[in-house]
Amino acid sequence: MNQFRKPYYLVEFTSSFCNFDIYINGLPAFSHNQGGGISSHAPINQFILESGKQKININIFPIKGEIKLRNEGFIKIRVFSYDSSTTNYENKIICFEHTIDNFSKNTNPIIYLQGNFIAQVPYNIEGWKNTDIFDKNSDRNNIVSYYKSIYKLFKESNINGIYNEMKTKFFEVDTTMYLENQNNKDSLFNLLKMLKDENFVFQPFPNLTNNIKFFANDKVCSFFREDGTHLIYYKNDKTNETFFMPIFITKNNYKLSIIR
């Protein structure tokens, strides 16, 4: 067991000539769809609900417009943690690593990798552990209706309404990230004001309403636009800058709520 007081977990990735998705405990933690090389990392504490075994899935795809992975492509993935209560960022614990030096021996257009790692965290949150399983057919209309109500709150810049729907998400993410005394309502207000002041335009509701994806053994879902971007999506037409906010929901006794 590590002795970190506030263990902060990240997934680190380096790749070339491929696209990939990374899932932690069934939820999308990072996606790369630009095809070129990338070397970065992303925090994943918000997907870790409690100490113990965690699941990681990595799906590797050809770059857009191609049907197979390039022989010279490669990918390196690792999960590590450090103690965020200190400034000693070099004291790391590596808990998962996987490297494919090149894809020359691969015969499949997509590579599916599965693995596990052990995390030790000082919290235990509910998340989607005991939520109901979505029925992919009968729940669709309710899911779309719920997302329409969330969309309406953002369109009207209804800070109180948005905050009330996202209270569980705020609490759990703040807990996992060790963020104390956060004023999430003020942060929402400042965010929407900044987007308006900088001429970001809230994009219209999609024409297609069947682009729902399910995660975490169908206990979590999200509604996407036709091009795969998230529903809550702003764009600055002058600069082509964009901003999106992922909204992942769960179901408890037929009640839908935002979890991430």
Side-chain angles (χ1 to χ4, degrees), residues 8-13 29-30 40-47 80:
Y8 196 79
Y9 285 82
L10 301 103
V11 60
E12 185 178 67
F13 35 84
F30 187 83
S40 189
H41 56 259
I44 58 172
N45 276 47
Q46 66 270 34
F47 307 115
F80 68 92

Side-chain angles (χ1 to χ4, degrees), residues 164-173 258-260:
N164 287 334
E165 291 294 334
M166 298 180 73
K167 278 196 292 189
T168 298
K169 171 182 177 177
F170 287 140
F171 169 77
E172 292 199 346
V173 171
I258 298 172
I259 197 67
R260 288 294 180 273

Side-chain angles (χ1 to χ4, degrees), residues 107-119:
T107 58
N108 298 314
I110 302 176
I111 298 176
Y112 298 100
L113 302 176
Q114 300 181 37
N116 300 289
F117 63 93
I118 301 298

Side-chain angles (χ1 to χ4, degrees), residues 21-257:
D21 297 327
I22 300 174
Y23 297 82
I24 302 294
N25 292 324
L27 290 194
F30 187 83
S31 293
H32 174 63
N33 56 17
Q34 302 303 311
I38 186 173
S39 182
S40 189
H41 56 259
I44 58 172
N45 276 47
Q46 66 270 34
F47 307 115
I48 298 174
L49 305 181
E50 61 185 356
S51 294
K53 184 184 289 187
Q54 318 295 322
K55 296 180 180 179
I56 180 170
N57 294 75
I58 306 152
N59 302 335
I60 308 166
F61 311 92
I63 59 179
K64 188 176 180 179
E66 300 188 4
I67 60 173
K68 66 184 296 289
L69 290 162
R70 293 195 187 186
N71 290 343
E72 66 270 31
F74 70 87
I75 190 167
K76 299 177 182 179
I77 305 282
R78 74 172 181 169
V79 175
F80 68 92
S81 66
Y82 68 89
D83 191 350
S84 63
S85 69
T86 74
T87 57
N88 184 9
Y89 305 123
E90 300 304 316
N91 183 19
K92 299 177 182 178
I93 294 177
I94 309 299
C95 44
F96 175 86
E97 286 187 284
H98 193 94
T99 298
I100 302 178
D101 291 323
N102 61 73
F103 300 126
S104 60
K105 295 181 181 180
N106 180 68
T107 58
N108 298 314
I110 302 176
I111 298 176
Y112 298 100
L113 302 176
Q114 300 181 37
N116 300 289
F117 63 93
I118 301 298
Q120 297 290 340
V121 292
Y123 58 80
N124 187 329
I125 56 175
E126 187 62 27
W128 50 96
K129 287 186 289 190
N130 297 306
T131 57
D132 297 334
I133 295 173
F134 282 103
D135 186 307
K136 293 183 179 180
N137 295 313
S138 64
D139 282 331
R140 282 187 178 271
N141 288 339
N142 287 338
I143 292 169
V144 173
S145 294
Y146 182 71
Y147 272 95
K148 284 183 176 179
S149 71
I150 299 301
Y151 179 90
K152 184 172 183 288
L153 293 176
F154 276 89
K155 186 175 179 63
E156 296 173 349
S157 296
N158 186 335
I159 303 299
N160 288 330
I162 298 170
Y163 174 76
N164 287 334
E165 291 294 334
M166 298 180 73
K167 278 196 292 189
T168 298
K169 171 182 177 177
F170 287 140
F171 169 77
E172 292 199 346
V173 171
D174 288 350
T175 299
T176 63
M177 296 296 188
Y178 317 112
L179 301 173
E180 300 177 355
N181 302 317
Q182 295 295 298
N183 193 326
N184 291 301
K185 189 180 290 187
D186 281 356
S187 296
L188 270 174
F189 174 83
N190 292 332
L191 171 64
L192 296 187
K193 183 178 184 302
M194 180 272 291
L195 291 170
K196 181 179 179 180
D197 291 346
E198 296 187 10
N199 299 313
F200 281 78
V201 177
F202 193 43
Q203 298 301 294
F205 196 87
N207 292 322
L208 295 178
T209 57
N210 61 351
N211 200 10
I212 300 168
K213 295 182 181 179
F214 296 87
F215 307 94
N217 297 319
D218 298 339
K219 285 189 168 187
V220 180
C221 79
S222 191
F223 182 97
F224 293 86
R225 295 175 175 273
E226 294 95 324
D227 60 358
T229 54
H230 291 275
L231 174 65
I232 306 304
Y233 186 81
Y234 297 80
K235 185 177 180 181
N236 186 318
D237 291 327
K238 292 182 178 179
T239 65
N240 280 327
E241 292 178 286
T242 60
F243 172 84
F244 64 84
M245 182 180 292
I247 300 288
F248 293 89
I249 68 172
T250 55
K251 181 179 76 166
N252 261 314
N253 296 322
Y254 302 101
K255 184 181 186 307
L256 304 183
S257 57

